[in-house]
Amino acid sequence: MSALATSPSASVQKPLPGGWTVVALLWFVACLNYLDRILVTTMRGSLKEAIPMTEAQFGLLTTIFLVVYGLCSPLGGFLADRFKRSHVVIVSALIWSAVTWLTGRAETFEQLLWARGLMGLSESCYMPAALALIADYHRGGTRSLATGIHMTGTFVGASLGGLGGWFAEREGWSYAFSLFGLSGIGYSLVLALMLRDAAPEPAARPATTGTPLPAEPQVRFFSACASLLTNRSFHLMLVFWALFGVAGWVILGWMPTYLTERFALTQGVAGLSATGYFQMAALLGVLAGGYWADRWSVRTELARIYVPALGLGIAAIALFTAATASVLPLALAGLFACGLTRAFTDANMMPILCLVAPAPYRATGYGILNLFGCLAGGAMIYLGGALRDAQIPLGVVFASSAGCLALGAIVLLALARLRSRAAEVHNHTR
């Protein structure tokens, strides 16, 4: 770790001019990103009535998106490192908005499936590029909060996804796809006029990451992957992100079912309770975690690691409480606390990556992390179903997920220790 990463002057560095404008512009893109991907899942009845399909086929619409999104994330991240990040954001938003509009024109299941695959491909380019662009503008004491504010857009978008079902009941299933698809195309034109890349950062010292930057001016995919995958700190981030993804996808995929069965709730009440409490808490947590990490980083940049680690320790206890509670209020309180503190990670993942990866490789690194998170989360959702078939209670699955959160906190502390040692070695050799 370089002296820049640990000095108070670096921590209080102000964002570049236009930094908060970029966050505001990208907030709406993040909102559309999650809203468009969730529309299909909110109109199951209307969609199946218009385009006959089995339950397995309906589930495949989400599976194909997740698989393509995960597999393409490293390439999407590389494009943001290789070309202008702002251009990748604009093109990604334009294409997935066009695909959203085209989804509403589908007449067969096969056309829907192709549209969902294209959605996964185009959306995989956005998040690595957007977070790297925000990090480029916010290089000091506002980096975590800026990231957290942007991530609130994803929570709002996920919540607004429910409008799909509402529009489907009143205007037909294709109406929401046309409305939000055309809105995204129009907003892409606004981005083309207003969104720009930040000025390049000064070249990072080799001691920052343990690996020298490449001599060539243009980033190459295999060079980027080689640099990241031979970095011990990045190895720990891969393990952590997989553990984090497991717990997150299990909560989203199985918590409504768990509340229905354990507390005899209706499907609608259980769904609103599981997603509402968790998402509302996460929205608050991503802001609190970003603000706290920025304030603490005045003393040490490792605060961006410590804050998520502390949050996950609390989240593990809260999720275990929700999984073992015998009364509904206690379960919902645990779910709220879990969503609140688990979200500290969302505000700090890219800032942590900035401590580990060279600046030209940040988006590629986030794409690789996305791949591991999607694969781990998808596998855990399937495993949860398999355990249910084997008559294993969902409470056991959630208790195991709480253990994954606790392990994630330990991995983050190991990462902080590794970065601290790297800083000590660098200071002794100066």
Side-chain angles (χ1 to χ4, degrees), residues 2-353:
S2 67
L4 177 63
T6 57
S7 66
S9 60
S11 299
V12 298
Q13 181 181 351
K14 294 181 179 180
L16 299 184
W20 290 114
T21 300
V22 167
V23 173
L25 288 170
L26 294 181
W27 188 92
F28 290 99
V29 190
C31 183
L32 281 172
N33 183 279
Y34 269 66
L35 190 157
D36 288 347
R37 73 173 64 176
I38 287 176
L39 282 177
V40 163
T41 66
T42 66
M43 55 179 72
R44 172 181 167 276
S46 299
L47 195 57
K48 290 185 64 179
E49 182 179 345
I51 302 177
M53 66 186 79
T54 66
E55 292 290 350
Q57 286 177 320
F58 180 77
L60 187 60
L61 294 176
T62 298
T63 299
I64 192 67
F65 169 85
L66 185 62
V67 170
V68 174
Y69 178 82
L71 291 177
C72 294
S73 284
L75 178 60
F78 163 71
L79 292 175
D81 284 334
R82 175 65 175 78
F83 304 103
K84 287 184 178 295
R85 307 199 201 281
S86 58
H87 289 179
V88 173
V89 167
I90 294 166
V91 173
S92 175
L94 178 63
I95 293 177
W96 95 57
S97 296
V99 171
T100 300
W101 181 84
L102 285 173
T103 302
R105 315 272 79 76
E107 298 179 351
T108 66
F109 173 76
E110 288 72 21
Q111 290 174 348
L112 274 177
L113 199 63
W114 273 102
R116 293 296 286 173
L118 289 173
M119 176 75 77
L121 173 62
S122 54
E123 287 205 354
S124 69
C125 299
Y126 170 69
M127 195 60 73
L131 293 180
L133 183 57
I134 290 172
D136 290 344
Y137 272 95
H138 295 263
R139 300 173 182 176
T142 59
R143 178 170 278 172
S144 293
L145 180 59
T147 303
I149 292 174
H150 169 263
M151 294 305 291
T152 63
T154 66
F155 300 128
V156 173
S159 300
L160 291 178
L163 290 174
W166 188 84
F167 280 125
E169 291 178 351
R170 289 158 178 78
E171 305 290 344
W173 74 271
S174 64
Y175 181 85
F177 289 101
S178 298
L179 175 63
F180 294 117
L182 292 175
S183 298
I185 292 172
Y187 193 67
S188 299
L189 301 179
V190 175
L191 292 175
L193 295 174
M194 300 184 65
L195 193 64
R196 297 290 183 270
D197 274 26
E201 289 192 48
R205 301 177 184 178
T208 302
T209 62
T211 54
L213 291 173
E216 64 268 19
Q218 294 183 337
V219 175
R220 302 182 185 279
F221 181 69
F222 291 107
S223 297
C225 290
S227 174
L228 292 164
L229 296 177
T230 54
N231 185 328
R232 289 179 59 195
S233 295
F234 192 73
H235 294 166
L236 291 175
M237 293 192 71
L238 288 174
V239 174
F240 164 71
W241 200 242
L243 292 168
F244 186 76
V246 163
W249 282 106
V250 166
I251 293 171
L252 292 176
W254 289 109
M255 184 57 76
T257 301
Y258 169 73
L259 294 178
T260 298
E261 295 179 350
R262 185 168 180 83
F263 300 106
L265 302 178
T266 64
Q267 176 178 290
V269 172
L272 288 173
S273 297
T275 58
Y277 283 94
F278 189 81
Q279 295 291 354
M280 180 173 60
L283 192 150
L284 297 174
V286 79
L287 294 175
Y291 179 83
W292 185 15
D294 281 338
R295 300 287 71 76
W296 194 354
S297 68
V298 173
R299 298 181 179 179
T300 172
E301 277 293 312
L302 294 181
R304 306 191 191 280
I305 302 177
Y306 292 144
V307 168
L310 291 171
L312 288 184
I314 298 172
I317 298 172
L319 182 57
F320 184 82
T321 300
T324 57
S326 57
V327 293
L328 180 61
L330 183 58
L332 294 180
L335 191 59
F336 184 91
C338 178
L340 179 72
T341 53
R342 181 185 174 276
F344 292 176
T345 296
D346 292 310
N348 287 286
M349 197 59 189
M350 177 56 79
I352 293 173
L353 187 57

